[in-house]
Each structure stands twice: as C-alpha cells, then as structure tokens.
Amino acid sequence: MPEIDPNERLQIQICRVLCIFFMMSVHVPPGRSSPSLMSTGDLAWLGYVWADVLGRASVTALSFISGYLLVRMAAEAPLAQIARRRFRSVIVPMLVWNAVFIAMVACKALLAPDPGAPWLRTDAGLLAALTGLTGPTANLSLFFLRDLFVSSLVVRLALGWLRRWPAAVLTAVAIVTVFDLAEPLIFRPSILFFAMAGAAHAQRASRLTEVLTRRLGIVLALAIGLAVAARLGLPNGGTPQRELEALLKHSLLAALVIAVSAGLTRNETGAALARLEPRIFETYLLHVPLISAAWFLWLPVFGSANLPGYAIFFFAAPLISMVAGQIFGILCDRWPGDVQRLVRGKTAGARRATA
C-alpha cells in the first residue's frame, strides 16, 4: 500500500478544515429545523446551500476520508488495537464535551424549564444523552463521533470481504442505509456507507482523488438503479426514497469537496487552511457549547432569529469558533498530558508524531 505523500496529506488537512467549518454552520442556533431568517425567511436559499448542502456533505467527505485513512494507516492493525486507540482519541473527548454541554443545559434549566431536553428528567435518559448508546447525544454534533467510531470497527471487520467483493459489500451497506436497518448499532448508516466506500477506494487506488475503478462504478450504477426503483415504488415519497436520493446527492457533493481540496493544495489559501488543521478537532469539540453560550447572550440584546441581524450571527458563529478552537488548542498544549487526553484525545507530542 503506497504511503500518503506530503501533497495528499496537505489535501486531507485542507478538506478537514473546510468540512468542519461548514459542519459548524449546521449547528448554529436555533437549528435548521426551527424557523429563522436562514431556514424559512428571506435568506432561506442561502442557508440551505451553506448548511444543508455544504454542511451535510461535509459529514460524507469526512466519513469517506476516515475509511480511506483506516486502510492506509491501520489496515493490518488488530481490531482490539483500533478500538482502544479510537476510543481514547474519539469517544473519551466526546464524553467529556457532551458532559460539558449537559451541564450547560442543566444550568439553563434552573433558570427556565427546557422542553427540548426531556432526557434531563430521568437517569436512563441522561445516560443515553451522555453516551449515545440508545439514541442521539445531548450535543447532537457529537453523535457523528459515536457513529464514526462504530463504523470504523465495522469497516475493519469487513476489509477482507471488501477486498474480494467490493460491489457486493457496498451494495449491501447501501441497502442497509436506504432502508435504515442499522439501528441501534449505527444511527446514521450513511456514515458507515461512506466510510466503507473510502476503504474500498483505498484498497484499489493509489491516491485519494484517483478515479474510481470500474467495479466501484458498478456500485454507483446499482445505486442509481435502486434510486429509480425506489421512486417508482414510492411515487409519493418515503424514507427509502429520501435516503437514497440523499445518498446520491451527498456522494456527488463529497466528491466536489475532495476535488476542491485537491485544487487548494496549489495556492496560499490552501496552505493557510492547512495550518488550522492540527487544532481543528478542538474546534469541532468546542463549537456547540461556545455557539450556544453566544446565542444565549445574543437573544436578549439583538432579538430573534427572524430578524435581519441574525445573518451576522449565523455566519460569524463558525468563524468565532474557528478562532476560539485555535486559541483553546494552544492553551491545551501546555496542560498535563492526562488532561489533554481527556479534552482532545491526544497530547501535543503525540499529535506532532502523527503529523
């Protein structure tokens, strides 16, 4: 398996920064499902493109890259070793930052009851909201880490089959995704599908941006055929049809994000973005508590999300989070190693060695 060369490493760093930035836009309060200037108001079209298209495609691209890197860097590692390593680097900080968010919601509930946090009322609900074992985490953005962790283990288990029968394996996972059959193992099976697709690509390609092989092209053709069948069978729409259409849309958008990242490796903009990558995980972990606190302060001063000024908050929140994440990462570098492992999954020394 060819090693990752410096240019490809740069591309992946750029892609991670772009993806995290647009992912943060999805989580700006009051959320995409609530009425606001950017979801139902005059700028709804811009909010849709910015958050629902670019933001959600970023999850796809990150999942694909995760599967790709699993093959490139840990294909021969035992499953137990991968599980231990990823639990320490992903799940531990997820639990810590989810606990921070739960504490913030609990403090807010002391001031005014929060109907959007029913999990606060029972021990079982609180445990589920903290760990994501039986449903979404309290901090919804961190639910991605939970599913990505499980998907990585499933991909590692399936590498042998994926090497021999990539089309069959990816078709099977696509069916599981379309009909939402993975719960409670994985709640967003599209993450598993794209992680599996990234692993399959890594087994047959020498570079991330290399054109997919003919066999993987067959998988896409099967998926398109299944999409047509779903639309014919569900003329009024339904979950399988929506899931399959989302799968195809996100596939194309993720390919676009990865291609743009490759193009940015040749200019100073890409180099500037890559310099943010070593602390981008801290930015991701920090952004929801930070933006939620900022929104709590914004409301009484500037008013609701339906007012024109909300556009400033919507676009400024991810930028502020990016700056805060970099500062927080610099501060973390000076903390004891055990504290660093808790809040970001690794120490500064381990990060430099990995780089």
Side-chain angles (χ1 to χ4, degrees):
M1 182 68 64
E3 293 186 1
I4 298 174
D5 62 55
N7 191 65
E8 186 173 40
R9 186 179 298 114
L10 178 63
Q11 178 193 354
I12 291 172
Q13 290 175 324
I14 294 168
C15 190
R16 280 175 171 160
V17 172
L18 289 175
C19 288
I20 296 298
F21 176 79
F22 286 110
M23 279 177 67
M24 291 191 293
S25 301
V26 178
H27 306 130
V28 175
R32 299 298 301 157
S33 59
S34 300
S36 75
L37 179 74
M38 307 301 297
S39 61
T40 57
D42 293 340
L43 296 181
W45 63 274
L46 182 56
Y48 173 77
V49 172
W50 196 265
D52 289 329
V53 175
L54 296 175
R56 301 192 190 282
S58 295
V59 173
T60 300
L62 289 173
S63 301
F64 186 90
I65 289 174
S66 177
Y68 179 84
L69 290 176
L70 177 66
V71 171
R72 286 301 177 88
M73 303 177 68
E76 303 303 323
L79 178 65
Q81 178 182 333
I82 293 175
R84 286 195 303 269
R85 185 181 301 163
R86 297 214 169 190
F87 186 87
R88 289 194 299 264
S89 64
V90 174
I91 299 300
V92 169
M94 182 203 84
L95 293 172
V96 170
W97 284 95
N98 210 19
V100 169
F101 184 76
I102 289 173
M104 291 176 61
V105 174
C107 290
K108 181 183 176 184
L110 293 175
L111 301 176
D114 187 353
W119 39 265
L120 278 175
R121 300 169 194 153
T122 65
D123 292 341
L126 189 59
L127 180 63
L130 174 65
T131 62
L133 285 176
T134 58
T137 51
N139 180 340
L140 287 175
S141 75
L142 297 179
F143 204 34
F144 169 63
L145 296 180
R146 182 261 187 221
D147 276 351
L148 189 63
F149 170 76
V150 179
S151 296
S152 297
L153 302 185
V154 174
V155 169
R156 175 61 185 86
L157 283 171
L159 284 182
W161 296 339
L162 199 59
R163 186 175 295 109
R164 295 182 182 89
W165 309 293
V169 172
L170 288 176
T171 300
V173 178
I175 291 172
V176 168
T177 301
V178 167
F179 291 97
D180 202 13
L181 303 176
E183 293 185 14
L185 182 64
I186 297 171
F187 288 89
R188 295 171 65 183
S190 62
I191 294 174
L192 173 62
F193 175 81
F194 288 110
M196 197 75 75
H201 182 60
Q203 288 178 334
R204 284 161 176 77
S206 60
R207 295 183 60 81
L208 181 62
T209 50
E210 188 172 309
V211 177
L212 294 179
T213 62
R214 182 166 54 90
R215 289 184 179 180
L216 295 182
I218 293 173
V219 175
L220 182 60
L222 289 173
I224 294 172
L226 192 58
V228 173
R231 178 167 287 280
L232 292 176
L234 300 167
N236 296 321
T239 298
Q241 177 182 327
R242 290 194 301 270
E243 289 291 338
L244 190 50
E245 290 176 350
L247 204 64
L248 295 173
K249 178 179 73 175
H250 292 161
S251 297
L252 296 173
L253 289 169
L256 176 62
V257 171
I258 292 172
V260 168
S261 302
L264 288 173
T265 60
R266 296 186 287 271
N267 58 50
E268 286 301 317
T269 300
L273 290 173
R275 286 194 287 271
L276 301 175
E277 193 273 340
R279 297 185 175 92
I280 198 63
F281 188 50
E282 290 94 311
T283 303
Y284 172 75
L285 293 168
L286 177 69
H287 81 276
V288 167
L290 178 66
I291 295 175
S292 298
W295 179 241
F296 183 75
L297 297 174
W298 174 280
L299 271 174
V301 178
F302 298 101
S304 75
N306 294 306
L307 298 177
Y310 174 71
I312 298 174
F313 183 86
F314 180 83
F315 289 110
L319 292 172
I320 293 171
S321 297
M322 193 73 76
V323 173
Q326 296 297 308
I327 296 172
F328 179 74
I330 293 171
L331 295 175
C332 279
D333 290 346
R334 303 170 184 173
W335 292 353
D338 289 341
V339 177
Q340 291 188 48
R341 293 185 189 95
L342 283 174
V343 299
R344 63 180 180 189
K346 62 178 63 176
T347 64
R351 184 177 58 198
R352 284 192 293 268
T354 301

